[in-house]
Each structure stands twice: as structure tokens, then as C-alpha cells.
Amino acid sequence: MTFEIGFQNPYPESTVKTLLEDSLLIPRKVRHYLRTTKHIWINGHNINWQTVVKPGDLIKLYFEDSVYPEKKILWGDSHKIDCLYEDEHLIVVNKPEGIKTHGNEPNEIALLNHVCAYTKQTCYVVHRLDMETSGAILFAKNPFILPILNRLLENKTIYREYWAVTERPFDSKTVVYKDKIGRHRHDRRKRIVDQKYGQNAITEVRLLKKGSHVSLINCRLKTGRTHQIRVHLAYHRHAIIGDPLYATEKASRLMLHAHRLSFIHPLSLEKIRVNAISDSFEKILATYF
């Protein structure tokens, strides 16, 4: 049995080698497999590595099961999925607060399991949202596109924007936090600012509304560290309201919502931009503004 990927070339004229390596960012191991097995076809013809591929050419790639072994995952409830965008390669859904992106145990049901039930196939996590955070989240629908999307994430060309309601008003309309983030020594659940041993982390903040004792801000991630927005804001005395780990002001949920996800689709060059709405976030927000 083989696994097949097909798409029309959206990139400028180039060799097969350049297309797979530079445009599609396909990992070296997969490129080597395609080259040695000659499992790449252009417009119905088996070609070599230096064949020129033109815009609009139909490209088909074939993989044996040994390249992408089937991954078994329990299906959840398809009715729990709010789909924001979907095609044959990827899906973006609106995650509610209070559910994990993926389970930590084989039999644990999380959002990933519901996505698999909705698509009726095994899907793969591209990036994560904390259990307490709601909003737009991206999944790959096949193992071929997963590393390509991961490369886009590493190259900072998948843009993620969040709304947050924070303690204390902001004085500045914009600010960029670059504090390094590391693990908490005594609490495995937490992260801390650790300028010496932490990982680089960049969060861009823009003030949207200022209340008497709170602020509504837009945060744009330039990196994707665990609890990054939560830790940066708490460190600068603007903890997110309702944060069970870092804030003092309580709420029925963490007031952090991933409201927008945007990127260029790597197999079509289509501009994908989705917005997510959370009723619970909006309801609490209305009590402050």
C-alpha cells in the first residue's frame, strides 16, 4: 500500500531538486527517499532530479508504508470540533478552553482525538495551546506536510495573535518583551524568566483598550515557548486575569484567546487567515469594558 500526495506546482520554474529542497522545505531524509525510489511524477511522467518543473504542473509523490508508518489514535467526538479552515492537507479549528491539545497517555481523549474523529483520519499537532487557552490551532492531516508546517513555524512565517485581559493598565501602546524563559525549579507546572539559562522568547504587545485597573492587549508570538505570553506578562506585573499559575485576580477562565492564525499555504501559496471567537472570553471581557 502507498501513501500519495498530489498538488499543482504554485512556485516559479525550477528543477525538482530546488522545488523540494528550497521551496517546499522537505526534510533531507524524505528527499533522499524520493530521489532513490523515483517516486515522483510530473504530469503523469516519472522524472529525474534535474527535471524542470513549471508553474501549474501536476506533482504526485508516492510513499511506502515504511516511510510513514500508520499511527493509531483513538477517535473522540466529531461534534466537539468548530472547524475554521480545512483542505486535504491541513485543518484549523477553534479550541475551547479547558481541554488539552493532545493527551499525555495513550487512552486520554483530548482535542487531537476529536479532530481525528472529525476528519476521519489520523492528524498531527503542529503547535499547541495551553489547556486553559482558547482559539485557533493548526493540525496537519498527513505526515508529509507536518515537517513542512513545522519548518514554517520555526521560520516564524506562521503568525499567531492572541487577545489577553491583564492586571494593571499598560502605560505604553506597544512593547516588545525579550526575556528568556526557563523551567521553574520547584514547580514542574510553571515557567519563569531566566535570563542566564532560559530559551530566547519574543512577545510583541499592542494595547487595545485600557480600563481602570485592567488592559485588553493583542500579543503576537515571535517564538513559541511554553507559557510564553503568561510568563512575560506576569514578570512585568501584567499577569493575565484568571491565570491559575501566575495571577492574583480570579475569573472563571484564563483570559487568553488565540484570535487569529495566518500563514501562506506551502502547497498552494494561498494566503490563509482565520479568526476565532470565544463566547466565554467575550462574556467576561464585557464585564471589564
Side-chain angles (χ1 to χ4, degrees):
M1 182 178 177
T2 59
F3 170 65
E4 175 186 327
I5 289 289
F7 61 97
Q8 282 190 304
N9 178 32
Y11 293 94
E13 183 175 305
S14 68
T15 63
V16 170
K17 178 181 183 297
T18 299
L19 173 68
L20 300 186
E21 184 174 345
D22 297 338
S23 298
L24 293 177
L25 306 176
I26 295 176
R28 179 181 300 178
K29 181 179 178 181
V30 178
R31 298 199 310 269
H32 177 73
Y33 168 83
L34 291 169
R35 181 163 55 89
T36 55
T37 59
K38 297 183 179 180
H39 280 186
I40 179 167
W41 294 66
I42 307 295
N43 298 327
H45 300 286
N46 193 215
I47 49 79
N48 63 51
W49 212 237
Q50 295 302 324
T51 297
V52 173
V53 188
K54 298 179 180 179
D57 282 350
L58 179 59
I59 301 171
K60 287 195 175 182
L61 311 175
Y62 298 91
F63 302 94
E64 298 168 356
D65 288 342
S66 58
V67 181
Y68 295 122
E70 185 178 2
K71 181 181 178 182
K72 298 291 185 181
I73 186 169
L74 292 175
W75 285 10
D77 184 353
S78 62
H79 296 94
K80 293 186 177 182
I81 293 300
D82 176 12
C83 180
L84 302 174
Y85 174 86
E86 181 183 13
D87 61 28
E88 62 180 308
H89 302 290
L90 54 87
I91 181 171
V92 182
V93 305
N94 189 7
K95 176 189 173 298
E97 76 279 7
I99 184 173
K100 292 181 180 179
T101 298
H102 62 85
N104 298 323
E105 303 296 334
N107 295 325
E108 186 177 5
I109 300 298
L111 182 64
L112 174 62
N113 306 85
H114 301 321
V115 171
C116 293
Y118 181 87
T119 60
K120 295 182 173 57
Q121 65 184 88
T122 297
C123 293
Y124 306 83
V125 175
V126 177
H127 68 102
R128 296 162 178 79
L129 291 177
D130 296 339
M131 184 173 73
E132 301 91 346
T133 305
S134 57
I137 183 170
L138 173 64
F139 294 88
K141 291 178 66 176
N142 60 64
F144 168 77
I145 201 170
L146 177 62
I148 299 176
L149 295 173
N150 285 337
R151 291 281 294 276
L152 295 181
L153 199 64
E154 292 170 5
N155 293 343
K156 303 178 180 61
T157 53
I158 295 180
Y159 303 102
R160 295 163 289 165
E161 295 186 53
Y162 297 73
W163 284 330
V165 180
T166 70
E167 300 176 349
R168 300 178 57 250
F170 273 76
D171 295 326
S172 302
K173 290 185 177 181
T174 61
V175 63
V176 178
Y177 296 137
K178 297 182 178 181
D179 312 284
K180 294 182 178 181
I181 294 177
R183 292 181 177 273
H184 194 288
R185 291 184 179 181
H186 308 297
D187 191 337
R188 295 179 58 187
R189 301 172 303 163
K190 290 185 175 182
R191 298 295 189 271
I192 59 171
V193 166
D194 185 343
Q195 304 289 18
K196 186 174 182 180
Y197 298 108
Q199 294 178 300
N200 291 328
I202 303 174
T203 306
E204 298 177 346
V205 176
R206 177 167 54 91
L207 178 64
L208 299 178
K209 292 182 181 180
K210 182 189 291 189
S212 59
H213 68 290
V214 300
S215 291
L216 172 64
I217 60 173
N218 184 87
C219 297
R220 187 166 178 172
L221 287 178
K222 304 293 286 186
T223 54
R225 309 305 177 197
T226 299
H227 293 184
Q228 178 175 316
I229 295 175
R230 299 164 66 180
V231 171
H232 271 168
L233 290 172
Y235 180 75
H236 291 277
R237 300 177 61 228
H238 292 289
I240 300 174
I241 289 172
D243 193 325
L245 295 179
Y246 306 105
T248 56
E249 186 161 345
K250 307 299 181 182
S252 59
R253 58 155 292 173
L254 172 69
M255 289 302 289
L256 180 64
H257 174 67
H259 75 96
R260 180 173 296 154
L261 183 70
S262 55
F263 58 96
I264 303 296
H265 197 300
L267 299 186
S268 67
L269 296 186
E270 178 187 0
K271 294 181 179 179
I272 308 298
R273 179 173 174 171
V274 296
N275 295 319
I277 297 174
S278 169
D279 292 339
S280 63
F281 185 92
E282 296 287 344
K283 183 177 179 179
I284 298 175
L285 180 64
T287 66
Y288 290 104
F289 298 98

